[in-house]
Amino acid sequence: MQAPFGNFDDAAPATDRLDDLAAPVANAVRGWRGEVGAARFILVDSDPRWADTAAFIEHYGADLVGVSANCVVVAGKRGGAATLAACVVPSTTKVDVNGAVRRQLGARKASFAPMDTATGETGMEYGGITPVGLPADWPVLIDSSVVALPYVLLGSGRRRGKLIVPGEALAELPGAVVMEGLGI
């Protein structure tokens, strides 16, 4: 199978490679009920040494920069309560944690979640966190420019491998909130 972009030696429908995904991601792909079918989700194999976006793009090709997105876990706090959420932004931007995220979560303070919290609560590996397979009760804030991409390159839940999914599928995720200006 040929991926819609990039030059990957090993690309296959994610539905055929569930064992290569983190468990919550595999469960989400297996149970996907969105209008954009899971058959359009592609898993590409990649070396875990190049999992971080900048290293990945340097190793696999600068042409991937315009189709790559990062997913980060944030914590919004108000009073004694904390809310975890995910943010998906183009890889060329940073999450507007203290502006857009804080306002959307109705939090007094927002920050990036500690690595142990992010990996423990998602069941995914650091450097591979993806919006596919996150806890269903989490807000998933997505920059509108990511949803507008025909296909977007994301983590697979593991450091080895990346998911390529239609951008519009992200808007169908549980808890999805598509926002302008999330990435700055």
Side-chain angles (χ1 to χ4, degrees):
M1 165 178 236
Q2 180 67 38
F5 48 70
N7 187 19
F8 300 101
D9 294 333
D10 185 5
T15 53
D16 293 347
R17 303 275 298 273
L18 297 174
D19 290 343
D20 294 330
L21 300 169
V25 180
N27 290 337
V29 171
R30 185 181 300 109
W32 185 259
R33 299 289 178 254
E35 281 189 37
V36 177
R40 293 181 58 196
F41 294 14
I42 299 164
L43 178 67
V44 295
D45 189 34
S46 61
D47 189 317
R49 292 177 297 169
W50 316 120
D52 297 325
T53 305
F56 189 89
I57 289 170
E58 183 177 324
H59 184 79
Y60 289 99
D63 59 317
L64 299 174
V65 74
V67 293
S68 299
N70 291 328
C71 179
V72 297
V73 178
V74 297
K77 297 176 185 164
R78 185 170 197 76
T83 300
L84 292 176
C87 299
V88 182
V89 297
S91 64
T92 56
T93 68
K94 295 180 191 262
V95 177
D96 184 10
V97 176
N98 292 312
V101 172
R102 186 182 56 74
R103 284 189 302 274
Q104 181 65 36
L105 297 180
R108 173 167 238 119
K109 180 181 178 189
S111 60
F112 294 103
M115 181 175 61
D116 290 348
T117 300
T119 57
E121 295 292 326
T122 64
M124 301 179 201
E125 296 176 4
Y126 189 75
I129 294 175
T130 185
V132 179
L134 291 172
D137 60 341
W138 281 22
V140 180
L141 313 180
I142 308 165
D143 191 277
S144 60
S145 65
V146 175
V147 173
L149 291 170
Y151 280 91
V152 60
L153 181 74
L154 299 159
S156 66
R158 293 186 170 159
R159 289 185 64 83
R160 174 171 215 107
K162 297 283 187 184
L163 278 178
I164 299 175
V165 302
E168 63 187 333
L170 299 178
E172 298 180 356
L173 289 167
V177 178
V178 180
M179 302 173 57
E180 297 285 330
L182 180 61
I184 53 172

